[in-house]
Every structure is written in C-alpha cells, then in structure tokens.
C-alpha cells in the first residue's frame, strides 16, 4: 500500500489511500490542473463512489479542525470551470470525474440520470441515440456538476432554457458527509439551492433530468441546423442594433451567439453562430436569410448536425493551457450605445474577444423564486475574455457594462470577489442561500469559488 503522509495533517484513513494522489505521484500534474490554471494542492482524492466522496469530505473537514487552518478544499469534475476554483494551492482537491454514469430512467417521459463527473459531450452523445437533449453548455469537456449547479447557458437556451430548469431531483453530499436525496418534496430548500447556488452548499454527485425530445428525420437522430456567418464590421453600434431587432423577432427555436474580435484598420470581425432546433424549413430559412443581410458577408456556412456532435467532447488533457480572465453581465434589454461600449472593449489591447448571446425565451418563463438563479428577466448575455495579468485593470475595462447589469452568470466569471458574488446572487436570493448554508455548512467548508460569506 502506498504511503501518503502530509506534515501536520491528520493521518489519511486507510479507505482513502487507494484514491489519494500527492506531489510524489506520477499523475499529480495532470490531476492538479484544469483548463485554465495549474494548481499545487497537497492532496488529490479521486473518488470512485459516492461513499468515497463522502469520506473525502469528512477528511477535509477533519484537516481544517485539527490544523486550525482554512485549508482550501476544491471540487473538480470536468475541469473546465472558468472560475478556476476546481484546483487550489496547498489544499485538497476532490475529483469526481470517475462518477460519470449516464442512464435512461424512463424513455417515454425523457427521464435521464447523470452522475456529476460526466462531461456534457459524452452526455449528448449518449442522449442523441434516444432523440433526447438536455439544455447545457457549449463545450463538450465541461463537467456536468459545475455547470448544472451554476445555471447552464447553452447553444439551445432560447428553446429549452437553462440546465437547472430541467433538474427534477439530485443527490448532494453536505459538509457532515451525509449523502442526501433532494427534490421538491424532500429537503426542498437544498433542492432550491443546488439549482443556481453553485457548489457552496455541498457536492452534487447525481442529477435526474427531464430531457426534451427532438424528432428524428432523414439520417439524423436529433437534428440541429447550424448557420455560421463571418462579417467584417466598421460600425458595431449599428450592427448590434440590427442584430437585436432580428433576434427579438426570430422564432424561439433559434439561439444566436456572436463573438467579436479586433481586426485590421480598426474594424471588428464578427463570428455569428445561429442554432435552429430541427431540420431546416421555410421558417428557419427566412430567419437565416434575414441574419445574412445584417452586414456584408465574408464567409458563410450552413449545415445540419446531430445534437451529439454539436457539443462533442474532445477529452483534451488539462494543463492550464488557456490562461484567461473572464467577466460577464446579464441584461434585461438593449441598453443605449451597447454596440459602442462593446466596440471600445474589443479594441482594448488586453481583450481577447467579447461574446454577445441571445438568452431570452424559455428561461424568462420560469418564476424567479423557483431556483437560486434569480435573473429571469435577462435576455442578453455578454462575456469579456481577456489576458489574465492584472485583474483589477481588466475589471475596469468591463466597468461600462458592469454598472448597468441585471446580474452575472457565475459559471462564466473568473472574478471571485465578494462584490461579484452579490451580483450573481442579489438581495433575497443571497440571504436565502446564506440561511441554508448556516444549516448545512456553518463552518464554511465549501468556500472555494463564488461564495457568499462575509
């Protein structure tokens, strides 16, 4: 049996030794990294079962108690979280990537059970053969656990809403190491909190989803029509205004995502990706035609893909290969001079790119009190990708948009300040979450990432 001993820490229980990785282990570097950063934890626990995850939580609590130190304790599933809190320095990482089972519970009702360590690309590939979709993120290596507890803005968000809007039940391990089954009738406060409250309540290990059905057609099991257009823009203010009018009039079966990057001669490259649920028809063709007339087209592509390929998982090894800093804002309408504000940010030398997404539709129909995602009036999502050097200076670049925000999407923010946490969970939502934390985690074991503790 391998030896795992960390100075001044309590002895690791025998049942955790087989899943332990320390700084002397050959797989330490890979296990201590996510997509955006490489950490230097003292211990990584690769849980294979819920019981091992629960035992790991109990050990982390014991380490803090016996050392008297607020030892960092992170959860890691897919390792693609933009908050980068899934790894840490000098602490413990609980990795649940081996908990990745996906199963159909009831095909007629679209009930799907997914373990939180799975990645969304694998889930999509599995569901595709059953003609089912779950509204999720837009990158296949993103873990189910992190995204599902934070909200879940995906490529089909206008049609199907947020990921959290389709959770019917879950299993969560709280700070006492108890594995709890929660739904609207069993511990409803916990069930409310894990749908948008992120990981500050506990570790979600399994979720029961109500999936949506897409009828198969031709050779496609779960068809999605994708339109990709490149524009070179001189006047972003005018373009954004036209795009806003177009998407506001477009059917909810269309979701539109834009990415702006700086181009030659003070111009801006716009990459537009539009997603229509199903095979193309006269309605989608008319909407896509209007999109192609928003500006002079430099490049055009339209194709039909299966849902399983839309968010395919590349399974890239993590090594901190994408050092970025990301901020975002949720807006409930088009504010004055939005295109000009975005243009100013795009042309800043620290900017990598700016995303603009349409997110209104299904998510606007859900009552704001139903989940811990309270920004149910949001129709626009804007994200700012930058080079991660001086975060304070980078935050200032985004100030012109942050000052008029409705809210912030936590899963898409690298800003771990308390001020940002209160943007994610404002007023009554924040207070309710803190009340629940006072019951289930009064010693604040789960205080990595975005967190309401002051």
């Amino acid at each position: 049996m391998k030896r795992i001993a960390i100075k001044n820490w309590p002895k690791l229980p025998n049942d955790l030794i087989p899943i332990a990785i320390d700084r002397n282990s050959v797989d330490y570097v890979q296990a201590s990294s996510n997509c955006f950063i490489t950490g230097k934890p003292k211990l990584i626990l690769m849980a294979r079962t819920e019981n091992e995850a629960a035992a790991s939580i109990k050990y982390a609590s014991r380490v803090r108690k016996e050392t008297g130190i607020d030892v960092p304790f992170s959860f890691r599933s897919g390792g693609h979280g933009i908050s980068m809190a899934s790894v840490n320095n000098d602490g413990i990482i609980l990795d649940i990537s081996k908990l990745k089972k996906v199963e159909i519970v009831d095909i007629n009702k679209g009930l799907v059970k997914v373990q939180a360590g799975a990645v969304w690309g694998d889930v999509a590939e599995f569901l595709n053969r059953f003609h089912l979709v779950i509204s999720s993120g837009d990158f296949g290596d993103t873990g189910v656990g992190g995204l599902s507890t934070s909200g879940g803005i995906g490529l089909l968000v206008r049609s199907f809403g947020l990921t959290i809007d389709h959770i019917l039940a879950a299993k969560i391990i709280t700070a006492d190491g108890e594995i709890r089954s929660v739904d609207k009738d069993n511990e409803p406060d916990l069930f409310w909190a894990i749908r948008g409250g992120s990981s500050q309540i506990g570790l979600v290990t399994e979720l029961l989803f109500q999936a949506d059905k897409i009828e198969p057609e031709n050779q496609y099991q779960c068809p999605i029509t994708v339109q990709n257009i490149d524009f070179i823009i001189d006047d972003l203010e005018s373009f954004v205004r036209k795009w806003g009018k177009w998407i506001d009039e477009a059917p909810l079966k269309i979701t539109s995502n834009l990415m702006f990057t700086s181009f030659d001669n003070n111009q801006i490259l716009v990459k537009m990706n539009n997603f229509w649920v199903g095979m193309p028809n006269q309605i989608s063709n008319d909407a896509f035609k209007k999109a192609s007339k928003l500006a002079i087209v430099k490049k055009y592509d339209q194709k039909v893909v299966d849902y399983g390929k839309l968010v395919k998982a590349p399974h890239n090894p993590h090594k901190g290969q994408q050092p970025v800093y990301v901020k975002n804002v949720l807006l409930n309408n088009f504010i004055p001079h939005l295109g000009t504000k975005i243009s100013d940010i795009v042309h800043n030398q620290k900017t990598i790119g700016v995303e603009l997404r349409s997110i209104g539709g299904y998510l606007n129909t859900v009552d704001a009190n139903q989940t811990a995602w309270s920004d149910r009036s949001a129709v626009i999502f804007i994200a700012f990708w930058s080079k991660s050097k001086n975060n304070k200076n980078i935050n200032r670049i985004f100030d012109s948009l942050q000052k008029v925000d409705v809210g912030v999407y936590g899963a898409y923010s690298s800003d771990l300040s308390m001020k940002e946490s209160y943007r994610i969970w404002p007023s009554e939502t924040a207070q309710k979450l803190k009340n629940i934390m006072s019951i289930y985690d009064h010693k604040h074991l789960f205080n990595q990432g975005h967190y309401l503790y002051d």
Side-chain angles (χ1 to χ4, degrees):
M1 182 176 288
K2 60 184 177 182
R3 293 175 58 85
I4 301 288
I6 299 173
K7 187 178 179 181
N8 298 325
W9 283 20
K11 181 181 177 182
L12 193 67
N14 289 337
D15 58 344
L16 293 183
I17 290 176
I19 67 169
I21 296 172
D22 67 2
R23 291 172 177 174
N24 297 317
S25 304
V26 294
D27 45 359
Y28 173 80
V29 174
Q30 167 65 25
S32 62
S33 301
N34 61 28
C35 183
F36 304 99
I37 193 171
T38 295
K40 294 181 180 179
K42 290 185 177 180
L43 178 66
I44 303 163
L45 297 168
M46 302 283 292
R48 301 165 298 188
T49 66
E50 287 180 338
N51 286 335
E52 288 181 344
S56 299
I57 288 173
K58 288 179 180 179
Y59 178 72
S61 180
R62 186 180 165 201
V63 169
R64 285 195 177 183
K65 181 179 180 180
E66 295 191 15
T67 62
I69 299 171
D70 190 15
V71 174
F73 181 41
S74 300
F75 299 147
R76 185 178 184 272
S77 53
H80 192 73
I82 286 173
S83 72
M84 295 172 249
S86 62
V87 301
N88 63 59
N89 295 327
D90 297 322
I92 301 170
I93 295 174
L94 172 52
D95 188 301
I96 61 166
S97 59
K98 295 185 182 298
L99 298 174
K100 55 184 179 181
K101 186 177 180 181
V102 185
E103 61 179 310
I104 299 293
V105 175
D106 188 323
I107 186 63
N108 294 320
K109 295 180 179 179
L111 301 183
V112 184
K113 189 179 292 183
V114 185
Q115 287 188 306
V119 295
W120 279 111
D122 292 344
V123 176
E125 184 178 16
F126 175 86
L127 294 180
N128 192 76
R129 71 188 81 157
F130 300 101
H131 322 303
L132 296 174
V133 303
I134 296 175
S135 182
S136 61
D138 51 12
F139 181 63
D141 276 352
T142 301
V144 167
L147 183 134
S148 296
T149 56
S150 297
I153 294 177
L155 301 177
L156 310 177
V157 63
R158 291 182 82 229
S159 298
F160 301 129
L162 302 172
T163 306
I164 60 172
D165 297 334
H166 299 272
I167 298 174
L168 300 181
K171 283 187 178 181
I172 178 174
I173 307 175
T174 45
D176 56 3
E178 185 78 18
I179 302 172
R180 303 170 187 269
S181 296
V182 301
D183 57 31
K184 64 182 179 65
D185 298 315
N186 300 297
E187 303 197 73
D189 281 350
L190 271 180
F191 183 56
W192 173 87
I194 60 103
R195 291 175 296 156
S198 193
S199 60
Q200 59 186 327
I201 305 298
L203 173 66
V204 171
T205 58
E206 182 181 275
L207 297 130
L208 177 66
F209 290 100
Q210 174 79 65
D212 289 287
K213 189 175 183 65
I214 297 181
E215 293 297 331
E217 192 169 342
N218 299 335
Q219 76 270 33
Y220 299 100
Q221 295 175 309
C222 217
I224 306 293
T225 305
V226 182
Q227 180 191 47
N228 302 311
I229 312 175
D230 286 3
F231 305 98
I232 304 295
I233 302 297
D234 291 303
D235 183 358
L236 195 61
E237 176 69 25
S238 175
F239 177 84
V240 167
R241 190 165 52 247
K242 291 177 183 177
W243 174 82
K245 184 176 186 298
W246 168 76
I247 194 60
D248 187 55
E249 296 172 352
L252 291 181
K253 287 181 70 175
I254 289 181
T255 297
S256 182
N257 297 347
L258 307 177
M259 173 63 85
F260 307 111
T261 54
S262 182
F263 199 67
D264 291 339
N265 300 319
N266 213 36
Q267 294 177 313
I268 292 176
L269 170 64
V270 180
K271 286 188 170 292
M272 173 187 282
N273 306 119
N274 300 322
F275 307 92
W276 166 268
V277 178
M279 296 292 291
N281 58 24
Q282 189 61 51
I283 297 173
S284 69
N285 290 338
D286 288 347
F288 281 173
K289 185 177 180 180
K290 290 178 181 178
S292 68
K293 292 183 177 181
L294 293 176
I296 297 175
V297 175
K298 295 298 182 183
K299 186 178 179 181
Y300 186 96
D301 176 61
Q302 183 175 322
K303 58 188 176 183
V304 179
V305 299
D306 264 317
Y307 165 66
K309 292 183 178 178
L310 187 67
V311 287
K312 191 174 180 63
H315 293 293
N316 293 326
H318 294 309
K319 50 186 178 181
Q321 66 267 36
Q322 195 175 2
V324 296
Y325 185 81
V326 183
K327 293 275 289 182
N328 75 81
V329 66
L330 299 165
L331 302 176
N332 62 1
N333 53 50
F334 277 82
I335 62 174
H337 310 299
L338 178 60
T340 300
K341 293 176 187 295
I342 293 174
S343 180
D344 291 342
I345 296 171
V346 171
H347 287 305
N348 190 289
Q349 62 180 1
K350 291 183 172 63
T351 300
I352 297 172
V354 176
E355 292 180 69
L356 175 61
R357 301 190 182 199
S358 58
I359 63 171
Y362 186 107
L363 77 82
N364 300 141
T365 68
V366 178
D367 187 278
N369 297 316
Q370 186 170 315
T371 69
W373 173 293
S374 60
D375 295 310
R376 291 295 178 169
S377 60
V379 296
I380 296 295
F381 168 75
I382 304 172
F384 160 52
W385 291 70
S386 63
K387 302 166 187 176
S388 57
K389 292 294 182 182
N390 188 320
N391 294 345
K392 287 185 178 181
N393 288 340
I394 289 171
N395 286 347
R396 292 191 191 102
I397 297 170
F398 201 62
D399 272 352
S400 62
L401 289 174
Q402 197 87 65
K403 289 177 180 177
V404 296
D405 69 337
V406 172
V408 167
Y409 175 32
Y412 230 77
S413 173
S414 306
D415 182 354
L416 297 182
S417 69
M418 190 59 63
K419 186 176 182 180
E420 186 82 339
S421 290
Y422 278 98
R423 292 187 182 115
I424 300 168
W425 302 291
S427 58
E428 293 180 9
T429 301
Q431 189 57 56
K432 186 173 179 179
L433 281 168
K434 288 197 288 187
N435 291 342
I436 294 169
M437 279 190 284
S438 70
I439 298 170
Y440 294 99
D441 186 23
H442 65 279
K443 293 185 178 179
H444 308 291
L445 179 64
F446 308 127
N447 61 355
Q448 299 298 294
H450 299 108
Y451 191 76
L452 291 167
Y453 176 45
D454 52 9

